């Protein structure tokens, strides 16, 4: 079922990588979009409103949500290593920040709360980052039980695409290849990922927000095909006319998974895939252009 045009959606973390593409998709589908972020969005589009603020500011969050139909939360610390190094900040922004938004959603009587969780949520990796996502999911479920707050939780897998930065593995690899002519990869190359282009993810996100079938669901959103890092690196090398050297280094990190983020857990999410609109080669080219536009020479 589609909702009436001009439903109002507010997107916390809407200036970030995934959030900004979701805002674009919401605008494209006729929503009135408000972005709430700690920094002004460089991607603010015509007709979108911007509120600059902190998700921990209860009064500001409550006032911002009032009058909105849909609330989406992409704000907080998205980087696994940053969460591991700054656990208290991770807890503050990813758990308490989510709770502040939940309280305001109850007061406003919204139609659906959509939360950006992670495929790491019930994996054996991910450390503090994973814990913050587990806790946030539990609070959302409890708010539904206590206050009938409608929700959908999306567990995103490995995303890639333009507007990403050095925290994103594909961005890092391409930037290194373009600026240094060399890729230092930590691992054997046998590690696999199911990458999904951020635009495909944004489109599915808005479907999950608005379709009845996804009410109170935990959805896993990844690409439909897994790719080994070795193949990915070879593909990038070929796209750069073999002008890149690849060096495999020992992997010392224990926070990232090798083959799969899934471990047996009591709360499985439904995996949702679509036919990708953007294929991997096209997507990689977009990032090469993006890095190039940032002014890097190669
Ligand atoms: N990128 C991925 O591959 C991926 C995978 C799985 C899950 N996720 C989840 O999706 C969400 C978005 O990830 P992303 O990659 O777009 O990250 P991002 O860092 O690009 O976006 C997060 C946004 O939140 C904003 N923000 C941070 N703290 C804030 C605060 N206190 N108040 C208001 N705004 C604040 C940031 O300014 C930023 O614009 C995160 O919850 C992340 O854990 C991302």
């Amino acid at each position: 079922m589609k909702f009436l045009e001009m439903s109002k959606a507010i997107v916390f973390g809407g200036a970030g990588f995934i959030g900004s593409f979701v805002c674009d998709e919401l605008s494209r589908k006729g929503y009135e979009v408000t972005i709430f972020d700690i920094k002004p969005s460089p991607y603010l589009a015509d007709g979108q409103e911007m509120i600059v603020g902190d998700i921990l500011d209860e009064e500001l969050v409550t006032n911002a949500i009032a009058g909105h139909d849909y609330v989406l939360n992409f704000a907080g610390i998205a980087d696994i290593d940053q969460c591991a190094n700054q656990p208290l900040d991770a807890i503050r922004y990813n758990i308490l920040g989510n709770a502040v938004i939940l309280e305001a959603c109850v007061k406003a009587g919204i139609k659906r709360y959509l939360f950006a969780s992670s495929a790491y949520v019930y994996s054996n990796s991910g450390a503090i980052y994973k814990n913050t996502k587990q806790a946030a999911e539990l609070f959302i479920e409890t708010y539904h039980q206590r206050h009938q707050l409608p929700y959908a939780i999306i567990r995103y897998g490995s995303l890639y695409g333009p507007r990403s930065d050095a925290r994103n593995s594909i961005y890092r690899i391409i930037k290194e290849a373009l600026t240094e002519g060399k890729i230092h990869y930590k691992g054997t190359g046998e590690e696999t990922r199911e990458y999904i282009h951020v635009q495909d993810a944004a489109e599915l996100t808005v479907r999950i927000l608005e379709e009845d079938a996804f009410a109170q669901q935990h959805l896993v959103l990844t690409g439909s095909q897994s790719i080994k890092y070795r193949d990915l690196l070879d593909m990038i090398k070929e796209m750069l006319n073999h002008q890149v050297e690849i060096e495999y280094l020992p992997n010392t990190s224990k926070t990232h998974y090798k083959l799969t983020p899934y471990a047996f857990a009591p709360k499985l999410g439904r995996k949702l895939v679509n036919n990708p609109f953007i294929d991997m080669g096209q997507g990689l080219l977009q990032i090469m252009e993006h890095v190039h536009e940032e002014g890097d020479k190669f």
Side-chain angles (χ1 to χ4, degrees):
M1 180 190 125
K2 290 223 167 68
F3 292 104
L4 295 175
E5 281 197 350
M6 304 311 271
S7 285
K8 291 185 176 181
I10 179 163
V11 183
F12 290 87
F17 172 46
I18 312 179
S20 64
F21 278 98
V22 171
C23 289
D24 288 351
E25 177 66 9
L26 286 166
S27 291
R28 195 184 67 78
K29 293 194 82 176
Y31 287 78
E32 272 183 41
V33 177
T34 306
I35 299 174
F36 186 115
D37 203 290
I38 200 111
K39 60 175 193 210
S41 176
Y43 313 109
L44 193 71
D46 280 352
Q48 295 177 347
E49 239 184 81
M50 179 80 229
I51 299 174
V52 177
D54 189 331
I55 46 169
L56 295 180
D57 184 336
E58 289 178 41
E59 195 181 335
L60 190 62
V61 168
T62 305
N63 291 337
I65 289 180
H68 285 87
D69 304 296
Y70 299 98
V71 177
L72 301 87
N73 182 13
F74 297 90
I77 304 185
D79 185 55
I80 292 179
D81 296 325
Q82 194 185 343
C83 285
N85 295 329
Q86 296 165 230
L88 291 182
D89 281 342
I91 290 163
R92 250 189 291 277
Y93 294 113
N94 294 6
I95 304 177
L96 183 58
N98 176 60
V100 169
I101 297 172
L102 284 173
E103 275 293 315
C105 287
V106 171
K107 285 189 191 127
I110 61 152
K111 290 185 180 153
R112 190 171 290 177
Y113 176 59
L114 188 140
F115 177 71
S117 185
S118 163
Y120 276 94
V121 75
Y122 284 108
S123 77
N124 294 323
S125 324
I128 295 284
Y129 174 72
K130 166 182 73 177
N131 297 150
T132 66
K133 294 299 182 188
Q134 289 172 329
E137 287 199 8
L138 288 174
F139 278 108
I140 294 165
E141 289 158 24
T142 301
Y143 269 74
H144 173 67
Q145 283 158 10
R146 276 182 61 80
H147 304 287
Q148 294 75 49
L149 181 70
Y151 73 86
I153 291 172
I154 304 185
R155 295 172 178 165
Y156 292 97
S158 302
L159 287 119
Y160 77 103
R163 303 182 190 169
S164 56
D165 59 27
R167 293 168 301 163
N168 183 275
S169 52
I170 292 199
Y171 174 95
R172 274 199 307 276
I173 289 167
I174 289 180
K175 179 154 182 175
E176 217 191 349
L178 289 176
T179 55
E180 295 174 30
K182 191 163 181 175
I183 298 170
H184 298 91
Y185 176 75
K186 284 188 183 163
T188 60
E190 291 303 303
E191 299 79 7
T192 65
R193 290 290 181 272
E194 292 169 324
Y195 276 105
I196 179 166
H197 191 281
V198 64
Q199 242 167 303
D200 286 328
E203 207 184 299
L204 283 171
T205 299
V206 175
R207 265 189 60 200
I208 291 167
L209 179 74
E210 60 190 10
E211 289 183 17
D212 290 344
F214 300 121
Q216 281 71 258
Q217 296 287 310
H218 300 65
L219 286 316
V220 180
L221 243 186
T222 65
S224 49
Q225 284 187 334
S226 59
I227 182 163
K228 280 190 181 160
Y229 262 105
R230 186 175 294 281
D231 295 334
L232 176 70
L233 298 181
D234 285 346
M235 194 165 157
I236 291 170
K237 185 173 175 172
E238 201 175 311
M239 288 169 81
L240 295 172
N241 300 318
H242 298 275
Q243 306 283 308
V244 184
E245 198 187 319
I246 302 170
E247 189 180 351
Y248 291 90
L249 301 166
N251 188 7
T252 47
S253 165
K254 291 194 182 70
T255 48
H256 297 265
Y257 62 88
K258 184 167 179 247
L259 291 178
T260 173
Y262 311 125
F264 175 74
K267 291 182 181 171
L268 285 179
R270 276 169 63 190
K271 186 166 167 167
L272 190 72
V273 288
N274 69 346
N275 291 324
F277 176 66
I278 297 162
D279 91 346
M280 192 99 197
Q282 259 183 316
L284 294 176
L285 269 180
Q286 281 182 332
I287 305 172
M288 288 177 188
E289 278 166 20
H290 169 63
V291 171
H292 199 53
E293 275 166 18
E294 285 177 337
D296 296 301
K297 305 240 176 338
F298 62 100

